[in-house]
Structures are given as C-alpha cells and as structure tokens.
Amino acid sequence: MVNPKVALTGSRSSLYDSSDPKAQLPMPLPAQLDRYTTRIYLLAVRTPGLTRRQMVAAGIPTSMIDPAIKELVDSGMLRSSGSPDVWEAIPPDIALPALASTYEVRAALARDTAHDLAQLYRTSRARAEEAPSGVAVLSTTEELQSAAETVMASACTEVLACYDDSPRTAHMFKMALEQHRERLITVDGTPLRLRSTFDTSVLQYQGAGDVLLARIEGGEEARFLDSIPFTTIVADDVAAVVDLTSFDTSGGGSLLIRDRRVVLALRALGEAWWSLATPMAWKGLSALDRQSVFILSLLAAGATDSTIAAQSGMSQRTVERRVRALMTQLGASTRFQAGVQAVRRGWI
C-alpha cells in the first residue's frame, strides 16, 4: 500500500529545494510496513472494533502495529473507535476510491514535473567542455577498414555485426569466397562466435547466395531483417565500429568506439535487431536437402521467386515449383505460413 500522504506538494520550484520539507517525491512504503498495513486493514474490515490484542493474535508484530495504524489513519483507511487500542475500518467503498483519487493526483504531479527534474539531473552532471571519451571520428574508408579490423581483432568471445545495404557491404560481398569461408579466430587461435544480421536488400547482390553459404561454412550465424539503417560491428563489450558509408561514401563521420557505455548500447541495439531477424541455418536438416533449406531461408527473409532464382542458379519456374512443393510438405497455404512452419520445425 503506497503512502498517499507522501505527495508532490507546493510549487514546482519547491521540488528543487532540498531544504523545503514539502519538497517530497512519491515514494513507496518499506515492504515490511506495506505488508502489515494491508493485513491490519483486512483484519479491520472483517472484525468490527479491532483491538491490539486481536492484531497480535493474528500474527502482527507488536513493533509494527503503531506505525501501521498511523499510516492507515493518515491514509483515511482506519479511525479510532473512541476507545484506546480499538479501531474501526473506514468502509471500503468510501476509503478505496478516495485513496485511488489520491494516487491519481500524485501520478499526475509526478508526470508534470518529470521533464523539469530530468533537465536538472542532466545539467548538474554535464561537462560541456569535454568531448565524449573513447570515441574517434573517422574520415576515410581506409580508416574505417582499419577500425573494423581493429574491432574484430579485439574480440575474445564474440563479434555481433549488423550490415545495411551500404557501399562497403556491397564491396564485402565481392570478396573471394575463400575469404568469406575463413573462420574468425582470436590471436591465440580460439574460434570466435560470429553473428551477423543482414539487410534483406543484400539478397539482390550478384552471387549473394554463394557468399552467404560460404560465410555460414566459415562458422557465421546469419539472419535477415528489413531496413537496417547503418552497419555496426561490436566486439564483446570492449569496442565497436559504426559504418556510415550509406550517408557519406567517403567514410567520413563513421566512428571507432571504445567507450564501454556506448559499446553496450550498440550491442543492445544489435541484439534487438538479431531477435527480430529471420534465421538462416544449415545444421540438423535431415528432413531437407541443402538447396531446399537455402530456398526456405530466402523465402522466410522475404525474397521474391526471381531473387531466389538469381541466387540459387535455378530458373524462376523451377523455384516456383520447389516453393510449391515445400509449402505442401509443410502444410502451408501461403509463403508466410511456410516460413513460420519451417522455423517451428527447426529447418531454418
């Protein structure tokens, strides 16, 4: 039971004056006191003329009775019956709506002052003369490439990457397949986990299917998501690079980040994109041949039949026939249902 007496009172300016005894924010009661005020009120509802002895018999610690009684009386939930140590509950149909109204007023006042208090908080901690630590602004694609290599080399456990449809992503897809198959490892030879979320637009790149397959053979876990706004590469929680070549092809404005707070924020963003993305997987697929898995992965990612045909090396007619066969096998009446059923069965 929240204390309805501890409210936002007085003018706004008084909220910021710690010496003003009325400058109080709504705070909950201590858990122990809150528990016993609720029990005592329920006892009073069931027991006309509730006495201290009855409270003790009901298991209320004697040390909690007086503070709980005071709280209930101040809240308009309980009143003295005129005799010492005897109390009467205010009828619930009167007391509870009044208490709810008090809460509503307090909530409105809290919302009303939230913005001003937030500004006060930030202003009191601002250090305008300092640039953000651990953040380097890059100027060229060469610096960006070097930064990306530095970030990947700093990983000890995992690299989490998200790729938009940028000039650098397109350039990466043009690398030799052998480079894509190379396993990402630490300096001491330990394999790293590599998770990558690709914008679905990369499926339009020439040879994208072969590249994605090569990267998966190299240990990468790949997923697809629409409209990724920029590329990020995050190494554990120690370093990250933000690739902004979609906005400036020179690489200017891209960032190399070592500030752990910013790195953690970018990792959280990458995890959110990963959780929303459609998976592309190849393990444990005894029910399907490899080409069918590839078709289903692209289908679930939103690729059209023409795109699947271009990436798989099959004719569009063959793709359409394979898609229909897979839908029948999955018991799906639509392409979307086929993707859902494939995920449920662990095929992709």
Side-chain angles (χ1 to χ4, degrees):
M1 186 180 297
V2 179
N3 185 351
K5 294 294 285 185
V6 182
L8 286 168
T9 57
S11 66
R12 281 196 177 189
S13 60
S14 71
L15 290 168
Y16 312 138
D17 183 1
S18 60
S19 65
D20 184 350
K22 294 182 179 181
Q24 301 179 37
L25 290 174
M27 297 295 289
L29 292 172
Q32 188 179 34
L33 180 58
D34 185 40
R35 182 168 66 253
Y36 290 122
T37 54
T38 301
R39 287 181 59 186
I40 289 174
Y41 181 70
L42 292 176
L43 277 172
V45 168
R46 293 194 298 265
T47 310
L50 179 66
T51 67
R52 184 182 297 269
R53 179 173 295 181
Q54 288 172 316
M55 295 181 208
V56 173
I60 308 295
T62 55
S63 61
M64 299 302 300
I65 290 177
D66 286 336
I69 290 292
K70 182 179 186 304
E71 180 60 37
L72 289 165
V73 171
D74 290 345
S75 302
M77 307 290 289
L78 207 65
R79 60 178 174 81
S80 172
S81 67
S83 175
D85 291 341
V86 180
W87 293 271
E88 189 69 39
I90 304 298
D93 56 342
I94 297 174
L96 294 181
L99 185 63
S101 297
T102 303
Y103 290 161
E104 289 166 4
V105 170
R106 291 174 54 217
L109 288 170
R111 285 191 295 268
D112 191 41
T113 58
H115 177 70
D116 291 341
L117 287 172
Q119 285 187 323
L120 177 64
Y121 176 87
R122 295 188 183 98
T123 300
S124 67
R125 289 159 176 79
R127 292 180 293 177
E129 71 280 1
E130 293 186 11
S133 61
V135 179
V137 181
L138 309 175
S139 302
T140 66
T141 53
E142 289 77 13
E143 290 182 1
L144 180 56
Q145 177 63 28
S146 176
E149 293 172 356
T150 298
V151 166
M152 288 192 171
S154 66
C156 295
T157 304
E158 179 183 46
V159 172
L160 178 63
C162 302
Y163 295 99
D164 69 334
D165 181 13
S166 70
R168 287 199 74 252
T169 301
H171 176 73
M172 181 180 74
F173 270 70
K174 292 178 182 178
M175 295 190 308
L177 294 180
E178 290 73 18
Q179 292 178 272
H180 290 289
R181 289 192 183 96
E182 291 178 1
R183 186 69 187 237
L184 195 61
I185 59 175
T186 64
V187 291
D188 62 0
T190 304
L192 286 167
R193 186 184 185 191
L194 174 59
R195 289 187 291 153
S196 297
T197 303
F198 294 95
D199 192 288
T200 51
S201 297
V202 307
L203 296 173
Q204 305 295 331
Y205 296 166
Q206 184 176 0
D210 293 334
V211 169
L212 290 167
L213 178 55
R215 294 177 71 88
I216 290 171
E217 289 173 345
E220 183 176 58
E221 302 169 47
R223 293 189 179 186
F224 301 102
L225 185 66
D226 285 333
S227 305
I228 295 178
F230 54 86
T231 291
T232 63
I233 301 173
V234 183
D236 300 326
D237 59 357
V238 297
V241 66
V242 176
D243 173 356
L244 299 179
T245 52
S246 286
F247 306 94
D248 185 342
T249 56
S250 72
S254 297
L255 304 170
L256 171 60
I257 301 166
R258 292 191 176 89
D259 186 313
R260 188 169 183 272
R261 297 163 298 182
V262 185
V263 173
L264 288 173
L266 289 171
R267 170 164 283 278
L269 180 62
E271 292 287 2
W273 286 341
W274 176 263
S275 67
L276 294 170
T278 301
M280 182 175 182
W282 301 92
K283 298 178 180 178
L285 298 167
S286 57
L288 293 178
D289 62 84
R290 201 175 190 80
Q291 194 171 54
S292 294
V293 175
F294 185 63
I295 291 172
L296 272 175
S297 293
L298 298 185
L299 186 67
T304 63
D305 288 344
S306 60
T307 298
I308 297 173
Q311 299 303 335
S312 64
M314 295 184 290
S315 69
Q316 184 166 336
R317 185 181 296 275
T318 300
V319 169
E320 291 170 353
R321 185 170 63 252
R322 294 289 294 271
V323 168
R324 286 196 298 272
L326 287 168
M327 288 172 60
T328 300
Q329 186 175 355
L330 289 162
S333 58
T334 67
R335 295 163 67 95
F336 175 76
Q337 287 178 357
V340 171
Q341 288 298 328
V343 170
R344 285 179 176 174
R345 296 189 188 193
W347 289 0
I348 60 174

